[in-house]
Amino acid sequence: MTARIAVLISGAGTNMAALVYASRMPESPYAVVLVGSNNPEAAGLALAQAEGIATFALPHKGLTREAHDAAMEAAVLEAGADHIVLAGYMRILSDGFASRWAGRMLNIHPSLLPLYKGTGTHARAIAAGDSHGGASVHLVTPELDSGEVLAQIAVPITPADTPESLAARVKLAEHQLYPRAVADYVSRWLDPAALLARLRALALALPDTDERESHGSPGFRVGGEKTGKYFAYFADQHHGTPHIALLVRTGSMDELLALVEDQPEVYFKPAYYGASGWIGIILNRPGVDWDAVAAWLERSWRGAAPRRLTRLMDVAEEF
Ligand code: GAR
């Protein structure tokens, strides 16, 4: 499945161009479906048009931040984009816009975050006597330049550097970094290691759990070294299925079959486990509801945990 990204720019748009050309290479996991700008004169818009990409421009002057953001967002939705990639989009976003796209909006910032949020990054790095500047790709949250950093690249500062010369070199590095970071991010739901890491963090956050391999798959147990019982398994394309999945225990065979019938894109009956009520929850699909995964883990944990632990959990949840 190819991700559909909208790129927002304010200026030259060289990062946008790097994203577009990387997307034209074989097996790119994303396509650029819209280039939007708050600046109708942005040079990048003309390039996008020449490349046959839909464009949208709306000056922010005279509009409230919310109204301008809403118009940009409407264009993004109209283009059917599932991610927004900011590339030199020199606007502070309203909280609502950033929150609605949480986890689906990326930005590139010309510093090694958390250093030098905001503007004037290269001059500040030079003035501080830093050995390196660089760029960071991060998730966008309402707080400026503060979301999770996904990837970084460092660029040395030479004695002759001016903010302009450093900015130009950092841009070369950005052009390598951004397409790769976007490709990795939109493909994250296909990566078994990333899925297992996320699952492991949730499973091992439950009380008195440990991880132990079972028939070559990571398994999660509760109850201690000797008497521990499995409450979850991670299955990476087992027995010819294309699924990367979490296996947890349902209440009954009827429940399992009903879930599989209702939501075959989410649930399946795993070979060998199904008869005992274990259900497969498919993780290698976009838009997995990780809160629901956490709830399944807790439920399955409760089914396997000794009474003393479930009682503790009940008490904790009352508060
Ligand atoms: C890039 O260096 C990017 O990191 C920076 O603007 C430049 C845009 O260049 N972004 C920011 O400063 C965001 N706060 P481009 O238009 O040629 O891609």
Side-chain angles (χ1 to χ4, degrees):
M1 212 185 105
T2 306
R4 297 170 61 85
I5 72 169
V7 183
L8 302 187
I9 64 171
S10 295
T14 64
N15 276 288
M16 177 276 297
L19 288 161
V20 167
Y21 292 117
S23 79
R24 301 277 165 81
M25 305 296 281
E27 293 176 34
S28 168
Y30 69 87
V32 179
V33 297
L34 178 78
V35 175
S37 184
N38 60 320
N39 171 15
E41 308 300 320
L45 287 173
L47 172 66
Q49 273 158 12
E51 286 292 346
I53 298 168
T55 60
F56 175 79
L58 178 70
H60 53 271
K61 201 157 183 261
L63 292 176
T64 63
R65 192 172 298 286
E66 285 71 20
H68 186 258
D69 282 356
M72 298 301 291
E73 187 177 9
V76 166
L77 291 171
E78 169 83 9
D82 44 42
H83 291 77
I84 297 179
V85 175
L86 307 180
Y89 186 58
M90 304 309 272
R91 295 278 299 157
I92 301 219
L93 304 185
S94 56
D95 286 2
F97 189 25
S99 302
R100 279 192 294 283
W101 287 81
R104 297 180 298 146
M105 190 192 280
L106 280 64
N107 182 39
I108 191 160
H109 182 75
S111 78
L112 294 172
L113 289 172
L115 290 176
Y116 314 128
K117 298 175 182 179
T119 56
T121 57
H122 306 299
R124 287 154 74 197
I126 291 171
D130 293 353
S131 66
H132 287 75
S136 307
V137 175
H138 64 94
L139 291 175
V140 175
T141 57
E143 197 183 339
L144 183 69
D145 299 333
S146 296
E148 180 191 343
V149 171
L150 301 173
Q152 285 186 316
I153 191 162
V155 172
I157 299 177
T158 67
D161 262 332
T162 61
E164 293 70 31
S165 67
L166 178 57
R169 193 174 324 110
V170 167
K171 271 204 194 185
L172 287 175
E174 288 184 331
H175 299 163
Q176 311 306 311
L177 179 72
Y178 213 5
R180 173 78 73 91
V182 169
D184 286 351
Y185 190 73
V186 302
S187 312
R188 68 202 178 285
W189 53 274
L190 292 170
D191 175 10
L195 294 171
L196 174 57
R198 192 144 185 193
L199 194 64
R200 176 181 287 136
L202 292 173
L204 297 181
L206 292 161
D208 204 15
T209 48
D210 61 55
E211 178 172 344
R212 185 180 292 187
E213 215 170 83
S214 163
H215 301 285
S217 292
F220 298 94
R221 308 183 326 148
V222 52
E225 189 62 23
K226 290 222 177 64
T227 53
K229 280 169 82 178
Y230 282 98
F231 65 96
Y233 300 94
F234 176 77
D236 183 1
Q237 310 191 14
H238 271 184
H239 307 296
T241 78
H243 309 313
I244 302 174
L246 162 67
L247 308 188
V248 284
R249 205 167 222 149
T250 57
S252 69
M253 202 59 183
D254 283 348
E255 183 188 8
L256 186 161
L257 293 174
L259 286 167
V260 173
E261 194 180 345
D262 282 359
Q263 289 170 267
E265 70 287 357
V266 178
Y267 299 107
F268 69 103
K269 183 169 172 294
Y272 304 110
Y273 290 85
S276 43
W278 289 82
I279 195 166
I281 302 174
I282 302 166
L283 300 175
N284 56 335
R285 62 192 160 91
V288 169
D289 178 350
W290 285 92
D291 290 340
V293 170
W296 268 113
L297 281 168
E298 184 184 326
R299 184 177 155 194
S300 198
W301 176 92
R302 278 179 175 279
R307 181 94 177 86
R308 69 182 161 84
L309 288 176
T310 54
R311 230 183 286 131
L312 277 180
M313 190 77 141
D314 292 339
V315 172
E317 278 177 1
E318 270 176 37
F319 290 96

